[in-house]
Amino acid sequence: MPTVEVSDLEDGDFLLDVREDDEWQAGHAEGALHIPISDFVARYGELTEAAPQDGRVNVICRSGGRSAQVTMYLVQQGIDAVNVDGGMQVWAAAGRPVVTEDGQPGFVL
């Protein structure tokens, strides 16, 4: 499965967060698109509208398990998608910003 390290992501890279609502509200990467894995198939159109046409979709969850499932689904649909290795836990540990909906400092639930 295609993966990417948090350290290889740059500001402005498209990020899809597939964690559930309570996890998202506790803290997320600023600018990420949030579609919980439990709603993903029903809300797939939101991703295809928001994702860059010729860009990569970086899929993230808490630790990498759920995002791996979504990444495999996207790859099967012909989308250039990669799993963010280690998920939001590694994101936060690397010192990347984690924010709440109102821009305040958040945390990984």
Side-chain angles (χ1 to χ4, degrees), residues 18-54:
V18 298
R19 296 175 303 147
E20 295 303 321
D21 288 337
D22 60 334
E23 295 172 288
W24 171 263
Q25 291 165 2
H28 55 268
E30 191 170 8
L33 173 65
H34 178 230
I35 304 177
I37 192 171
S38 59
D39 296 339
F40 188 75
V41 174
R43 294 176 57 189
Y44 179 73
E46 291 178 42
L47 171 66
T48 58
E49 287 180 18
Q53 294 301 314
D54 295 323

Side-chain angles (χ1 to χ4, degrees), residues 14-20 33-48 51 57-60 66-77 79 81:
F14 186 82
L15 193 63
L16 170 65
D17 189 324
V18 298
R19 296 175 303 147
E20 295 303 321
L33 173 65
H34 178 230
I35 304 177
I37 192 171
S38 59
D39 296 339
F40 188 75
V41 174
R43 294 176 57 189
Y44 179 73
E46 291 178 42
L47 171 66
T48 58
V57 175
N58 301 286
V59 188
I60 198 165
R66 290 171 286 178
S67 54
Q69 294 175 43
V70 172
T71 298
M72 291 306 295
Y73 175 81
L74 293 174
V75 168
Q76 291 170 353
Q77 305 308 310
I79 293 175

